[in-house]
Amino acid sequence: MMAAMRAALPLPHPPLSPPPQATTRLAGARRVAVALGLGAATAVTAAGTGPGALAVTQAPQAPQAPQAQKASQAPQAPISPTPWPPTVAAALQASGLPAEAFSLLVWPVDGVAPRWQHLAASPRLMASVMKLFTTGAALRSLGPAYTWRTEAGLGGPLLPNGALDGPLYLRGGGDPSLVIERVQLMMSRWRGAGLRDIRGDLLTDRSAFELPPHDPAAFDGQVLKPYNAGPDALLLNHGAVTLRLLPDAAQPGQVRASLAPTLDGVELVNHLSPQPKLPCGDWREALNLTMAPVLGWHHLGRQRWRVTVQGPYPLSCGEREWPLLWRGDGPDDHGARLLSQAWQDGGGRLGGTVRNGTWPAGLPVWQTWTSPPLATVVRDINKFSNNVMARQLFLTLGAAPANRDASRDANEPPRPATLASARGATAQLVLEATRAGNRNGNGSGRGQPSACEGEALQLDNGAGLSRSERSTALCLGQWLQALWRSPVMPEFVASLPVNGTDGTTRRWQAAAGRAHIKTGSLDGVASMAGYVDAADGSTRVIVVGVVNHPRADAGRPVLQALTDWAQHLNTSDASAP
């Protein structure tokens, strides 16, 4: 969801020994406080350094992610002796950044070698551009029509009066797109099939993914940022809630606040002060947001939580949204509260609680929810740089092939996907497609080593939200060329933002309307990669650009200048730029 994320390098922190109930104090111009309940790992505060900025008070350092399996030494692309294109050189000079901070590449889609390159064989942090490996590999191996299944099973007899005399099992299959609206529709189908009253528990089976505990503070300390959500075999609404603020039409001069989706046992307290004369400005910076458990109160085995928002709110802002990653009582708290509340909101009754459980061997599937097709999911990932959806897709690639077979017995429990299996499967798919001898794009070639061998491609979580995940411009360029030659080229290209039109490049002026470009951004990293239409309409050109430097933002004009130059490149002229 976040097109231009800001992520600091993870820093070491002292060991944490919090009391069972931890409450943080407020600090900074805009303040956010979270008090974590029993079993929680950290407490956080926010310093007002920008919208949604948070800092971890105490958190363990993120472990170093293992690298993708290394193959033979990757071929080293020679640095082009040709000079820099004049417009790109001018942008470089204006940026004040050293040329060594950049890796740049321009490659006609039907060319044997890049037309122009600079340090294209240097491994670089690529940020969200790494999603192109995940989404492209998924389209090639799973196919654009692939779907995920979320299955429900009856743990007892369903009576004529709509009562289930036992638990209801819900087995997640890794669906990245199970947002609240789809959860509500899924439950409406349960009611349509005769279920009204679950007299037992609602048991959630998340065994399709086998993952280490996820710490949303580990990457950059921003524990309430939705992009820090971890993958989950039963991911619901991306693990997030949205605080909506708007002038109250029923009570003019007042401000209405709401949380969506509504979570069971969570109360929202509105202490906003409407400001009819203030300009909107940075409205979040002036607000105080507190999320804390209500001590001594429990609801269905869970603590009650209170979300309080207070401070001045300019009425000139109109309706605004503040997405928040929900932490609550732990990693499964969001899903449990969402399922419980959604079932009750639809008129259903739940006699027990929502908790994790294992799908019993031999239990038949009663109802199946099917996700939108992969082509639609990939579009959401690439257009809007959705990190948690990319992580879900990455793990789907790591699932055993039998799990992805449409003819698989629905009653067979899936084999769990792991990060190691996802890294290995994705790297293998890329290597097979980029071997120099493979010119038909079908992944069957066995030629010279790929440009993605060894250190040239290092995978971590498949989303680019990592300080160990990296690639070379040459590897990425060769991968984009393989995708251009593959049968899934139309779906892949259509998933990329169109410059000046939509997605994360809607404000780009470079090659506006004539380029499909994916961008990436972390602290110290700015990147872009994709396809540019030649101005004369004769061909398309692959462009890859990345800068790794503490002032990486200053290098963005260089990347846009490269895109513009590629648009006007005469691919039939082999002379210097």
Side-chain angles (χ1 to χ4, degrees):
M1 292 184 290
M2 307 298 293
M5 298 167 293
R6 293 291 163 271
L9 284 165
L11 300 175
H13 297 276
L16 177 63
S17 300
Q21 302 292 339
T23 303
T24 62
R25 301 311 305 160
L26 306 177
R30 180 185 58 74
R31 308 172 178 90
V32 180
V34 182
L36 301 180
L38 289 170
T42 57
V44 301
T45 62
T49 57
L54 299 171
V56 176
T57 55
Q58 291 180 311
Q61 184 180 13
Q64 180 69 26
Q67 297 178 356
Q69 183 178 3
K70 298 178 182 179
S72 60
Q73 183 62 36
Q76 295 298 310
I79 299 175
S80 174
T82 57
W84 281 52
T87 54
V88 182
L92 174 67
Q93 185 174 9
S95 74
L97 300 180
E100 293 77 13
F102 291 83
S103 287
L104 307 170
L105 177 142
V106 175
W107 195 340
V109 293
D110 56 356
V112 175
R115 171 63 184 276
W116 183 80
Q117 58 186 302
H118 169 73
L119 298 181
S122 298
R124 303 279 191 181
L125 291 172
M126 288 282 186
S128 283
V129 168
M130 295 297 292
K131 292 181 176 70
L132 299 181
F133 290 106
T134 301
T135 55
L139 284 171
R140 286 177 62 98
S141 64
L142 304 177
Y146 175 84
T147 56
W148 289 262
R149 295 182 297 184
T150 303
E151 299 164 334
L154 303 176
L158 181 58
L159 306 178
N161 64 358
L164 172 62
D165 194 11
L168 179 73
Y169 290 91
L170 187 63
R171 181 165 63 189
D175 186 350
S177 60
L178 202 50
V179 293
I180 181 59
E181 295 84 0
R182 293 186 175 120
V183 172
Q184 292 166 339
L185 183 55
M186 176 178 67
M187 289 182 169
S188 74
R189 294 182 181 178
W190 297 353
R191 291 190 294 273
L195 180 61
R196 294 289 188 277
D197 182 6
I198 304 171
R199 292 180 175 174
D201 294 333
L202 201 169
L203 299 174
T204 55
D205 186 335
R206 293 175 154 85
S207 60
F209 293 168
E210 189 175 283
L211 301 169
H214 176 73
D215 180 5
F219 180 65
D220 61 1
Q222 305 294 323
V223 295
L224 295 186
K225 287 288 193 178
Y227 64 73
N228 274 324
D232 186 340
L234 188 59
L235 181 72
L236 303 177
N237 208 63
H238 302 161
V241 296
T242 299
L243 176 64
R244 288 194 173 92
L245 309 175
L246 72 161
D248 193 338
Q251 302 179 72
Q254 299 302 309
V255 180
R256 180 173 291 273
S258 63
L259 278 177
T262 306
L263 301 182
D264 194 17
V266 176
E267 172 191 14
L268 175 62
V269 179
N270 178 358
H271 289 321
L272 293 170
S273 172
Q275 302 295 319
K277 296 182 180 180
L278 288 181
C280 187
D282 191 354
W283 56 276
R284 292 185 192 177
E285 192 74 16
L287 297 182
N288 179 330
L289 178 68
T290 303
M291 307 170 74
V294 180
L295 300 181
W297 288 88
H298 288 76
H299 176 67
L300 296 177
R302 296 182 180 275
Q303 290 182 295
R304 290 186 178 272
W305 277 70
R306 180 175 295 133
V307 179
T308 304
V309 57
Q310 56 186 331
Y313 184 76
L315 296 180
S316 60
C317 289
E319 182 174 355
R320 298 285 172 161
E321 295 186 348
W322 191 346
L324 300 164
L325 179 62
W326 179 260
R327 293 292 294 143
D329 294 332
D332 302 327
D333 187 70
H334 175 272
R337 293 180 188 272
L338 185 150
L339 288 170
S340 176
Q341 189 66 49
W343 179 242
Q344 295 175 70
D345 286 347
R349 293 187 295 273
L350 178 62
T353 64
V354 181
R355 59 184 178 87
N356 287 335
T358 302
W359 186 282
L363 181 69
V365 173
W366 171 61
Q367 291 284 304
T368 299
W369 171 263
T370 303
S371 75
L374 176 62
T376 299
V377 171
V378 163
R379 183 184 185 278
D380 288 341
I381 292 173
N382 284 337
K383 290 278 189 185
F384 307 105
S385 204
N386 191 300
N387 287 286
V388 71
M389 291 181 75
R391 290 185 176 206
Q392 296 282 114
L393 181 56
F394 188 63
L395 284 161
T396 300
L397 288 169
N403 295 345
R404 303 196 297 261
D405 187 348
S407 63
R408 176 182 71 89
D409 183 352
N411 297 319
E412 178 187 351
R415 301 174 187 176
T418 66
L419 282 171
S421 66
R423 292 163 187 155
T426 307
Q428 185 63 31
L429 287 165
V430 172
L431 289 171
E432 289 178 353
T434 54
R435 288 192 170 97
N438 176 22
R439 290 303 177 190
N440 57 10
N442 63 13
S444 61
R446 292 295 185 271
Q448 297 180 10
S450 160
C452 299
E453 305 275 2
E455 300 291 332
L457 178 62
Q458 301 172 58
L459 298 172
D460 182 13
N461 56 37
L465 196 68
S466 168
R467 290 291 173 180
S468 64
E469 197 161 57
R470 62 190 67 213
S471 171
T472 66
L474 189 64
C475 168
L476 183 52
Q478 197 177 68
W479 173 239
L480 291 176
Q481 189 179 55
L483 289 169
W484 180 263
R485 291 171 171 151
S486 80
V488 298
M489 178 272 287
E491 289 84 0
F492 179 74
V493 175
S495 77
L496 303 179
V498 180
N499 283 14
T501 301
D502 66 5
T504 59
T505 63
R506 63 188 180 279
R507 294 188 178 91
W508 273 44
Q509 296 304 310
R514 303 195 66 89
H516 288 77
I517 299 292
K518 177 78 186 76
T519 59
S521 180
L522 298 172
D523 272 356
V525 183
S527 59
M528 64 89 185
Y531 306 95
V532 181
D533 285 337
D536 61 3
S538 60
T539 188
R540 285 194 177 182
V541 178
I542 294 166
V543 292
V544 179
V546 59
V547 53
N548 286 184
H549 190 275
R551 295 177 49 245
D553 280 348
R556 293 186 185 280
V558 179
L559 307 185
Q560 296 206 34
L562 182 72
T563 305
D564 258 334
W565 178 74
Q567 179 191 6
H568 297 96
L569 180 65
N570 182 355
T571 56
S572 63
D573 181 4
S575 61

